């Protein structure tokens, strides 16, 4: 019996599916678009999976968030709890808290979905931070990817505030304490602080409107902006092609790896379910945000050991360790103990956002870069990143100074002073140590190139000397250790021109030159061996 497709061909017509595909392609250009992009090459390295974890955890957040919105009531109307959790029965609470209790104890799978949502949020922000650190330390933010760095930075910041508005929605004692903390920070802003506070809370704190307002921001505004940024981020990754680590056969003009279809998509699909499974397993085994143990929020109470999620801990650390300075003038009080940390927080974020443009200006590097750097080959940049991480870490300690004091039986005042001193001293020490480590690794690479790899074999020469036999590196290894560029620092030029007239060199030019020498001067990089040096050593002159 003839098939439908055969009958159609006998009548001179294409099968129905093919005709539909032709019709759609003639109007949407899907085939041409797919043909151009579905075979795009992606390099294979484990660190590139960090960005995928960000994407997959964001998808998990969207899926679980949609489920939670079906049962959550974004209302601060007062109700009396009559659910199955006996310790809270008969207590007055907001409808938001009561609906969260309903999700946790009465909705099928509700508690698991809540925990998956919260854990996915923590992993999402953590993966973005680690992903950005990978991009930073390997120089993947350089031209033409500066704008994509800014997109990633905005995703990180929006993810932090989306997480804050999200864990504030249940209106429990822990999240309410965090919202109260934020209100105090906002009120410290001169002139506009009280207006912003009244706008957020619909009146005096805690007001009656902040849950529905945070809810709209959490499920609509911020996720919508983040989804748009994420799409733009991925489009630029496709457009610029993916970066790759240096190696044999890899240049600035090609990409060595696997095609998007079918290999990369198959691996990515499996990795998505792996990420989902790990998050689900963690959510099943490790309890997070048990609101029933803390109870509904009351302004006259603070839960013991109240801590924000880790990504907001450094901002709290800034305020906790800042001395309680105040300025009283013209009948107004400016709380510097809160206002100064509130100003430091956005300044640090802005510094992260503009760093690619600052480095490009300082070094004068306007070339396109598609090969990644080894962190050791850029000691100053690597040292800056390590110093920032140490600064972030010491502020996390400050944000949890009460827990450090109670768990390790330490003095709260001593911890506070350690954090205050460490805020200024620790990043400097980490910067110096990291730079020295990078320079030491560069020296080791230079010795490997010139003298080869130590084999552990001892040989006695005819005249009685014992030496260790070295084995020359492979061509691939030599290429990896010597493929990087070593730019020269910028120079201001002669102080006088050809006519003997003194040149006017502005302070900005002098600053740029000094910073350029800091990045690429003699104290910031070890000269890599030249082919002539390698040829002389390996020819037998001085090489064992």
């Amino acid at each position: 019996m003839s098939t439908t497709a055969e009958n159609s061909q006998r009548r001179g017509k294409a099968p129905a599916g093919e005709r539909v595909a032709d019709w759609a392609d003639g109007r949407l250009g899907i085939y041409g678009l797919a043909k151009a992009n579905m075979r795009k090459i992606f390099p294979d390295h484990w660190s590139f999976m960090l960005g995928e974890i960000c994407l997959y955890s964001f998808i998990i957040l969207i899926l679980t968030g949609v489920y939670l919105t079906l049962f959550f009531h974004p209302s601060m109307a007062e109700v009396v709890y009559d659910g199955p959790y006996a310790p809270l029965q008969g207590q007055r609470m907001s409808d938001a808290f009561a609906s969260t209790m309903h999700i946790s104890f009465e909705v099928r799978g509700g508690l698991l979905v809540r925990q998956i949502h919260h854990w996915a949020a923590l992993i999402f922000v953590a993966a973005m931070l680690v992903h950005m650190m990978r991009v930073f330390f390997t120089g993947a933010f350089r031209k033409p990817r500066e704008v994509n760095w800014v997109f990633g930075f905005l995703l990180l910041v929006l993810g932090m505030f989306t997480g804050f508005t999200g864990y504030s929605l249940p209106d429990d004692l822990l999240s309410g304490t965090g919202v109260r903390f934020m209100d105090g920070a906002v009120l410290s802003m001169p002139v506009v602080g009280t207006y912003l506070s009244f706008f957020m809370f619909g009146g005096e704190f805690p007001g009656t409107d902040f849950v529905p307002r945070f809810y709209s921001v959490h499920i609509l505004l911020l996720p919508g902006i983040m989804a748009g940024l994420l799409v733009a981020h991925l489009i630029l990754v496709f457009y610029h092609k993916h970066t790759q680590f240096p190696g044999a056969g890899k240049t600035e003009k090609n990409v060595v790896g696997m095609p998007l279809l079918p290999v990369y998509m198959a691996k990515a699909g499996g990795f998505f379910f792996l990420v989902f499974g790990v998050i689900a397993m963690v959510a099943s085994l490790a309890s997070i945000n048990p609101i029933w143990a803390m109870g509904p929020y009351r302004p006259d109470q603070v839960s013991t050991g109240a801590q924000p999620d880790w990504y907001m801990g450094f901002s709290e650390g800034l305020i906790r360790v800042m001395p309680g300075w105040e300025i009283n003038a013209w009948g107004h009080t400016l709380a510097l103990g809160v206002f100064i940390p509130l100003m430091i927080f956005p300044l640090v974020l802005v510094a992260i956002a503009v760093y690619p443009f600052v480095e490009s200006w300082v070094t004068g590097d306007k070339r396109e870069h598609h090969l990644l750097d080894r962190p050791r080959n850029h000691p100053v940049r690597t040292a800056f990143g390590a110093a920032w991480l140490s600064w972030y870490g010491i502020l996390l300690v400050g944000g949890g100074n009460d827990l450090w004091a109670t768990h390790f039986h330490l003095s709260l005042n001593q911890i506070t002073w350690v954090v205050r001193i460490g805020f200024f001293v620790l990043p400097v020490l980490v910067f110096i140590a990291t730079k020295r480590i990078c320079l030491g690794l560069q020296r080791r690479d230079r010795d490997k190139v010139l003298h080869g790899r130590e084999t552990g074999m001892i040989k006695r020469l005819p005249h009685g000397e014992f030496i260790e036999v070295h084995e020359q590196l492979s061509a691939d290894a030599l290429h990896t250790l010597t493929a990087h560029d070593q730019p020269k620092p910028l120079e201001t030029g002669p102080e006088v021109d050809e006519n003997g007239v003194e040149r006017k060199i502005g302070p900005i030019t002098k600053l740029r030159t000094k910073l350029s020498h800091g990045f690429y001067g003699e104290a910031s990089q070890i000269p890599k061996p030249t082919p002539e040096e390698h040829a002389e050593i390996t020819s037998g002159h001085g090489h064992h």
Side-chain angles (χ1 to χ4, degrees):
M1 181 179 291
S2 300
T3 62
T4 304
E6 291 173 346
N7 292 334
S8 298
Q9 291 175 353
R10 288 176 181 177
R11 293 193 299 266
K13 294 182 179 179
E18 186 177 339
R19 284 186 277 119
V20 171
D22 289 340
W23 182 91
D25 183 60
R27 290 153 181 80
L28 303 176
I30 297 176
Y31 175 76
L33 183 65
K35 185 178 179 180
N37 293 289
M38 291 299 99
R39 298 294 291 176
K40 194 173 184 68
I41 300 300
F42 279 83
D44 188 14
H45 191 272
W46 66 266
S47 65
F48 299 151
M49 293 192 297
L50 296 170
E52 294 181 43
I53 295 175
C54 301
L55 174 62
Y56 301 154
S57 54
F58 182 74
I59 294 173
I60 294 169
L61 282 169
I62 297 298
L63 295 176
T64 54
V66 169
Y67 184 81
L68 294 174
T69 57
L70 302 177
F71 306 99
F72 181 72
H73 300 163
S75 170
M76 296 187 70
E78 193 173 74
V79 298
V80 177
Y81 182 72
D82 60 354
Y85 188 69
L88 290 180
Q89 287 179 355
Q91 289 199 28
R92 295 183 178 275
M93 58 186 62
S94 67
D95 196 13
F97 185 90
S99 65
T100 309
M101 292 292 293
H102 174 71
I103 293 172
S104 302
F105 287 94
E106 299 176 73
V107 174
R108 188 179 297 274
L111 180 58
L112 177 61
V113 175
R114 266 196 67 220
Q115 298 232 137
I116 291 176
H117 191 74
H118 202 142
W119 276 113
L122 295 179
I123 293 173
F124 175 57
V125 181
M128 282 197 294
L129 179 62
V130 177
H131 176 59
M132 288 193 69
M133 288 296 98
R134 197 278 299 172
V135 171
F136 179 84
F137 286 121
T138 60
F141 55 79
R142 295 171 296 172
K143 183 182 177 181
R145 296 176 179 84
E146 302 98 330
V147 175
N148 223 7
W149 168 269
V150 175
F151 285 169
F153 161 78
L154 291 175
L155 282 168
L156 176 64
V157 174
L158 292 176
M160 292 167 56
F161 285 100
T162 306
F164 175 78
T165 56
Y167 75 65
S168 301
L169 293 180
D171 197 29
D172 61 284
L173 187 56
L174 178 61
S175 67
T177 302
V179 175
R180 187 70 181 91
F181 176 88
M182 183 199 68
D183 180 56
V186 171
L187 287 174
S188 70
M189 300 175 65
V191 181
V192 299
T194 53
Y195 295 97
L196 290 176
S197 177
F198 269 66
F199 173 75
M200 285 190 297
F201 299 104
E204 193 73 30
F205 179 87
T208 58
D209 295 333
F210 92 84
V211 167
R213 292 182 181 183
F214 276 28
Y215 181 73
S216 300
V217 171
H218 179 72
I219 71 166
L220 292 176
L221 180 61
L222 295 180
I225 298 174
M226 292 175 68
L229 287 172
L230 184 60
V231 171
H233 186 76
L234 294 176
I235 289 174
L236 287 180
V237 169
F238 264 78
Y239 177 71
H240 292 142
K241 74 182 181 181
H242 207 292
T243 55
Q244 57 186 345
F245 283 95
K250 299 177 181 179
T251 68
E252 297 283 5
K253 299 184 181 299
N254 70 350
V255 179
V256 179
M258 303 172 298
L260 180 62
L261 280 178
V263 181
Y264 193 83
M265 288 297 293
K267 295 178 68 174
F271 190 50
F272 168 76
F273 288 105
L274 180 62
V275 172
F276 204 153
V278 169
I279 293 177
M281 181 180 67
V282 173
S284 302
L285 300 177
S287 176
I288 189 171
N289 197 22
I291 62 168
W292 53 88
M294 292 170 282
Y297 177 67
R298 285 181 51 180
D300 61 334
Q301 294 182 357
V302 175
S303 58
T304 304
Q307 301 290 310
D309 281 338
W310 69 269
Y311 48 84
M312 299 298 288
F314 79 102
S315 60
E316 181 157 332
L318 279 169
I319 294 180
R320 286 196 185 192
V321 303
M322 180 72 189
W325 297 337
E326 291 183 353
I327 294 179
N328 296 298
W330 301 289
H332 297 278
T333 300
L334 180 60
L336 296 180
V338 181
F339 179 68
I340 291 179
L342 193 64
M343 293 297 101
I344 294 176
F345 179 66
L347 288 177
V348 171
L349 295 180
V350 170
I352 296 173
V354 302
Y355 180 85
F357 306 97
V358 173
E359 181 176 307
S360 176
W361 175 75
V362 168
T363 60
D365 187 2
K366 305 300 181 182
R367 300 168 299 165
E368 285 197 7
H369 294 276
H370 302 290
L371 287 178
L372 298 173
D373 293 325
R374 301 175 76 210
R376 67 185 64 181
N377 292 330
H378 285 267
V380 175
R381 180 204 297 155
T382 303
F384 270 130
W388 183 85
L389 290 175
S390 69
W391 181 80
Y392 189 95
I394 195 68
L395 288 179
L396 280 181
V397 174
N401 56 0
D402 54 339
L403 293 183
W404 285 85
T406 56
H407 282 64
F408 295 98
H409 308 289
L410 301 172
S411 167
L412 184 66
N413 289 331
Q414 290 177 353
I415 295 174
T416 301
W417 274 105
V418 166
V419 175
R420 287 175 178 174
I421 297 172
F423 177 86
F424 298 99
V425 175
L426 184 61
V428 176
L429 296 178
V430 170
F431 179 92
I432 295 173
T434 303
K435 183 179 177 182
R436 290 180 63 87
I437 291 172
C438 290
L439 292 174
L441 292 173
Q442 284 189 35
R443 290 188 182 94
R444 190 182 72 172
D445 287 348
R446 177 182 172 86
D447 290 340
K448 278 185 178 181
V449 171
L450 293 177
H451 301 290
R453 181 181 62 87
E454 297 177 355
T455 62
M457 298 172 57
I458 305 299
K459 180 180 178 181
R460 183 179 181 181
L461 299 180
H463 60 276
E465 179 186 0
F466 288 92
I467 63 170
E468 182 179 13
V469 178
H470 286 211
E471 179 184 7
Q472 277 299 306
L473 301 180
S474 65
D476 289 352
L478 288 173
H479 179 83
T480 301
L481 295 181
T482 59
H484 60 282
D485 293 328
Q486 289 193 321
K488 300 296 183 182
L490 300 177
E491 301 292 346
T492 57
E495 296 183 359
V496 296
D497 59 18
E498 61 277 6
N499 299 319
V501 179
E502 184 178 355
R503 294 174 59 243
K504 292 183 178 180
I505 303 175
I508 295 179
T509 302
K510 292 180 179 179
L511 175 63
R512 184 186 182 190
T513 304
K514 189 173 183 179
L515 291 175
S516 179
H517 277 265
F519 266 84
Y520 296 134
E522 293 183 0
S524 299
Q525 57 184 1
I526 305 299
K528 63 182 183 180
T530 63
E532 292 76 16
E533 289 176 320
H534 182 262
E536 180 181 359
I537 290 290
T538 55
S539 64
H541 303 289
H543 178 70
H544 299 306

